[in-house]
Amino acid sequence: DTGVSQNPRHKITKRGQNVTFRCDPISEHNRLYWYRQTLGQGPEFLTYFQNEAQLEKSRLLSDRFSAERPKGSFSTLEIQRTEQGDSAMYLCASSSTGGLREKLFFGSGTQLSVL
Amino acid sequence: GIQVEQSPPDLILQEGANSTLRCNFSDSVNNLQWFHQNPWGQLINLFYIPSGTKQNGRLSATTVATERYSLLYISSSQTTDSGVYFCAVEGRRGGADGLTFGKGTHLIIQP
């Protein structure tokens, strides 16, 4: 399977705990994105990497959220001191560099539940 | 930031029917994509179509960039077409917003 892979599929945590999610993009893709989706809404952009450089961050992204892509391959998204409002599906997507940004391919997501 | 409105919000059709889904956006775009989210939550990219017309099997899409809308056509619907269809755009003005998604059209195809 050469699609975008995300782990874990589900995460249940208690309020105040830290959580970390992993994303492995399609191997030849140099762009990697994180999105968040809540029930009944479209995905909401969080941040974007080109290779190992984090080029964009949403103004909505709390400083409790941090993302890394240390070697330009897989990426991690960490949420510190989780709150109930962080409960959502966290989606990772990747794309390749073109003259314009090309098609996004999404993983299956990590469903986070904060109790 | 750029605004995206999709219509209709919900659509229920019988198998074999045709449908047209609409996406209006508030500013010039350099990136527009259509996605299908199946009942298991997986987002599938259908089209990258900032302008013009594309076809893929029973699906086709048209974007009229000068009038700030895009249409997704589904012909001869099948039950597997059920799910939520999202339009997502990125404005030409850039900014740290990435692709902005609409709220989607929830499509149910009944056998």
Side-chain angles (χ1 to χ4, degrees), chain A residues 52-78:
Chain A
E52 66 275 10
Q54 189 173 18
L55 296 186
E56 289 184 11
K57 285 176 64 174
S58 169
R59 300 176 201 89
L60 304 175
L61 197 63
S62 161
D63 58 6
R64 296 183 296 105
F65 288 68
S66 62
E68 293 183 343
R69 194 182 182 197
K71 297 183 180 179
S73 56
F74 73 92
S75 175
T76 57
L77 177 67
E78 180 182 19

Side-chain angles (χ1 to χ4, degrees), chain A residues 37 59 101 103-104 108, chain B residues 33 37 42 45 48 97:
Chain A
Q37 186 178 23
R59 300 176 201 89
R101 294 186 185 181
K103 294 173 69 169
L104 254 60
S108 299
Chain B
Q33 301 186 34
Q37 189 163 40
Q42 179 68 51
N45 194 303
Y48 168 78
D97 294 330

Side-chain angles (χ1 to χ4, degrees), chain A residues 3-112:
Chain A
V4 178
S5 176
Q6 292 189 247
N7 288 288
R9 289 298 309 276
H10 304 275
K11 179 70 177 178
I12 300 174
T13 191
K14 292 183 178 179
R15 189 178 52 180
Q17 298 295 305
N18 299 344
V19 294
T20 300
F21 311 139
R22 176 178 171 125
C23 172
D24 289 87
I26 294 171
S27 58
E28 62 267 29
H29 286 181
N30 60 345
R31 290 182 165 162
L32 186 148
Y33 307 78
W34 285 100
Y35 284 81
R36 176 173 62 191
Q37 186 178 23
T38 53
L39 200 61
Q41 302 295 316
E44 174 189 49
F45 171 77
L46 294 179
T47 190
Y48 147 64
F49 291 84
Q50 180 159 319
N51 300 313
E52 66 275 10
Q54 189 173 18
L55 296 186
E56 289 184 11
K57 285 176 64 174
S58 169
R59 300 176 201 89
L60 304 175
L61 197 63
S62 161
D63 58 6
R64 296 183 296 105
F65 288 68
S66 62
E68 293 183 343
R69 194 182 182 197
K71 297 183 180 179
S73 56
F74 73 92
S75 175
T76 57
L77 177 67
E78 180 182 19
I79 309 174
Q80 296 181 326
R81 306 180 303 281
T82 52
E83 301 173 357
Q84 288 185 325
D86 296 331
S87 295
M89 174 74 82
Y90 289 84
L91 294 161
C92 177
S94 69
S95 70
S96 60
T97 308
L100 298 171
R101 294 186 185 181
E102 300 283 349
K103 294 173 69 169
L104 254 60
F105 294 87
F106 279 88
S108 299
T110 294
Q111 182 67 52
L112 173 66

